[in-house]
Structure formats: structure tokens, C-alpha cells
Amino acid sequence: MPILNDTTIALLLYVILGGIYLFVVPLALYFWLQKRWYVASSFERAFLYFLVFFFFPGMLVLAPFLNFRPKRREINI
């Protein structure tokens, strides 16, 4: 009985693709949004909104663990 039969390969492929869909691409998208939020062109912003919609389940999975609030400003009096 070989270790890599059709069922194992299919299950492994589902796990890899699910991990990419739920963790890898949304994490990269979060960092891309953080870096380009204030300088993106209108086309790039529309594309970013499409990606957020497309990877929404992964964004929900990662949202409780990420904090991208702006840094606190120093007020000099």
C-alpha cells in the first residue's frame, strides 16, 4: 500500500490550497494595504477592494490577531 495514494494527494492539495487561501494571501494583502493605503491610485484601490472581497474569509480569520493602528503622535507644547 503506497503512502501517497490518490486520496492522500487530494487531501494534501486541499490543505495546501486552503492554507494559501486562508492565511498566506490575506496576510500579504494586509501588509500591502498597510503600505499603500494613502498613496494608491484609484485603479489600485479598486483592485485592493476586489482582493479584500475575494479573500474575505481569510481576512476574518486573521483580523483578531493583527493590529495596524497608526502610531501615537507626539504633541509638543
Side-chain angles (χ1 to χ4, degrees), residues 9-64:
I9 292 173
L11 184 63
L12 186 64
L13 187 62
Y14 273 115
V15 168
I16 290 171
L17 289 176
I20 290 172
Y21 179 75
L22 289 176
F23 297 110
V24 176
V25 175
L27 188 62
L29 185 57
Y30 266 120
F31 286 111
W32 187 17
L33 282 167
Q34 182 188 18
K35 183 176 177 136
R36 298 286 300 169
W37 185 256
Y38 295 108
V39 294
S41 65
S42 60
F43 178 76
E44 183 181 2
R45 191 171 302 272
F47 182 64
L48 286 171
Y49 290 155
F50 164 74
L51 288 177
V52 167
F53 177 74
F54 191 75
F55 292 103
F56 188 71
M59 302 291 273
L60 282 179
V61 168
L62 293 177

Side-chain angles (χ1 to χ4, degrees), residues 34 38 67-73:
Q34 182 188 18
Y38 295 108
N67 180 9
F68 290 119
R69 290 187 209 139
K71 292 185 175 47
R72 186 170 271 223
R73 292 188 315 160

